[in-house]
Amino acid sequence: MEPIPLSVFEAAVQVAGSALHYKSSLKQLLRNCGVSENGAERYSDLTKYQIFRNTWGDLDRDGVSGRKVQHRLVTALANLDKPDPNVPDVAAGRRSIAELRRLAQQAQLLVTPADLARAERRKAAAAEAADSTSKREQLAALNDAFQILHRQADKQRRGYDLEKLLSALFRWAELDYHGSYKTETDQIDGAITLDSFTYLIEARWRDEVAMATDLAAFADKVERRIDATRGLFISMAGFRPAAVDRYRQAKENRLVLFDGADLAWVLEGRFDFTDALRAKVRAASIQGDPYISVNRL
């Protein structure tokens, strides 16, 4: 990065001294542009002109990093809309800003607010694209792990690994997640929070479908907690139809049901998990059905 031309520096000194009324305003500008707290306060007893000159000299000694701050200082001062109305000579302050702006543009140093806004938008878009790519890669890795689980011969190990996979999925979805825990009466596979509701998790990977007794036992855990608690039952093999019918006909139901096909749709990236959960809750509320497949939502 090239040094600031002397003419631009002198014009910047004039703006610092004539367009800013308070020393505190100048020191805040120095901080905003990257001057350290100690650097901004070092020359507080001097005039605004002297504070700026001495701070600039310190930045000269910092090499490339100091020049970057100097460039930001020139940009900030040249982009001032107008002088502080309390300065002794507002017209002189206005002229000093105009002169700095002219010289900075001539030296191709000036970054306008519009340029800064465009740069920020480009930076944000690039970060969003990178984050999106990273999220897709993370989800693909989770799906790969899911496929490996299908080949897991140790059923107990498979169930444990399913819990770990779901934990990673909930964190990927940026949900407030609490891992598995025990109380005096219950074993809970975890809990997530979404839209002010807490969902207790029951996750199982067995060869047989979940029966009415399984659903009833989990529903009992949920119902013994406050009304803002719901239950998310994930059964890879699905659910016995007659067992689900009881909850379709129930006066009050706080369970939402996922099966292996639902989970596959989410892990393949066809349906966002939080969107899927919200859609299932909406279907349970409107249609009274807690077990509508994700691919039908």
Side-chain angles (χ1 to χ4, degrees):
M1 181 171 285
E2 294 297 320
I4 299 292
L6 181 60
S7 60
V8 175
F9 161 61
E10 290 294 346
V13 172
Q14 293 306 309
V15 175
S18 66
L20 300 176
H21 182 60
Y22 299 103
K23 289 183 183 180
S24 59
S25 300
L26 174 57
K27 289 189 286 186
Q28 187 58 53
L29 183 140
L30 294 174
R31 294 187 193 95
N32 291 345
C33 291
V35 175
S36 68
E37 183 66 27
N38 287 338
E41 295 291 340
R42 186 171 296 145
Y43 305 108
S44 293
D45 293 337
L46 304 179
T47 67
K48 296 191 297 292
Y49 295 94
Q50 292 169 324
I51 290 172
F52 192 83
R53 284 186 183 278
N54 288 348
T55 303
W56 191 276
D58 293 341
L59 294 170
D60 277 335
R61 289 185 283 276
D62 289 339
V64 174
S65 62
R67 285 200 293 275
K68 289 181 180 179
V69 176
Q70 289 172 341
H71 277 257
R72 289 196 287 269
L73 286 170
V74 168
T75 296
L77 290 170
N79 282 330
L80 289 175
D81 290 331
K82 56 187 177 181
D84 187 304
N86 296 307
V87 297
D89 190 339
V90 173
R94 190 178 295 113
R95 287 194 299 272
S96 69
I97 294 172
E99 178 63 5
L100 174 59
R101 191 173 296 156
R102 183 186 70 80
L103 291 171
Q105 288 173 337
Q106 191 176 72
Q108 297 183 330
L109 297 173
L110 186 58
V111 180
T112 67
D115 292 333
L116 288 172
R118 280 193 293 272
E120 286 299 318
R121 287 195 295 271
R122 286 195 296 269
K123 183 178 178 181
E128 184 177 349
D131 182 63
S132 178
T133 299
S134 175
K135 294 281 278 188
R136 285 197 300 270
E137 291 172 348
Q138 291 168 11
L139 187 62
L142 289 176
N143 190 41
D144 289 343
F146 183 55
Q147 301 308 317
I148 292 172
L149 282 184
H150 281 83
R151 302 191 293 273
Q152 173 64 262
D154 185 335
K155 296 180 181 180
Q156 184 175 4
R157 178 71 185 181
R158 185 177 64 186
Y160 173 71
D161 287 344
L162 175 62
E163 282 190 33
K164 292 202 299 183
L165 177 70
L166 291 172
S167 169
L169 175 62
F170 298 148
R171 290 192 171 94
W172 176 88
E174 299 178 2
L175 292 168
D176 183 6
Y177 169 69
H178 188 293
S180 60
Y181 62 96
K182 289 182 179 180
T183 68
E184 291 183 1
T185 56
D186 297 325
Q187 167 69 47
I188 306 295
D189 292 339
I192 58 174
T193 301
L194 178 66
D195 300 333
S196 301
F197 283 91
T198 296
Y199 292 80
L200 302 186
I201 308 296
E202 176 77 13
R204 59 175 61 185
W205 195 328
R206 300 177 183 173
D207 293 334
E208 65 276 5
V209 297
M211 308 293 284
T213 52
D214 300 317
L215 286 169
F218 184 50
D220 180 61
K221 294 178 184 179
V222 174
E223 289 164 5
R224 283 189 278 107
R225 287 160 171 84
I226 63 173
D227 289 344
T229 306
R230 292 170 175 168
L232 173 58
F233 198 134
I234 302 172
S235 170
M236 292 297 297
F239 302 86
R240 185 183 178 96
V244 177
D245 285 341
R246 291 181 56 184
Y247 292 89
R248 291 189 178 112
Q249 299 163 8
K251 184 177 180 181
E252 292 186 9
N253 170 47
R254 288 156 64 181
L255 299 187
V256 180
L257 310 180
F258 270 69
D259 60 21
D262 292 328
L263 190 56
W265 271 70
V266 168
L267 291 170
E268 289 169 5
R270 303 186 191 188
F271 220 118
D272 179 78
F273 175 77
T274 53
D275 290 342
L277 180 53
R278 286 185 176 120
K280 278 184 172 274
V281 169
R282 189 162 52 249
S285 298
I286 296 173
Q287 302 175 40
D289 192 342
Y291 187 38
I292 295 181
S293 296
V294 167
N295 64 358
R296 291 174 51 203
L297 295 171

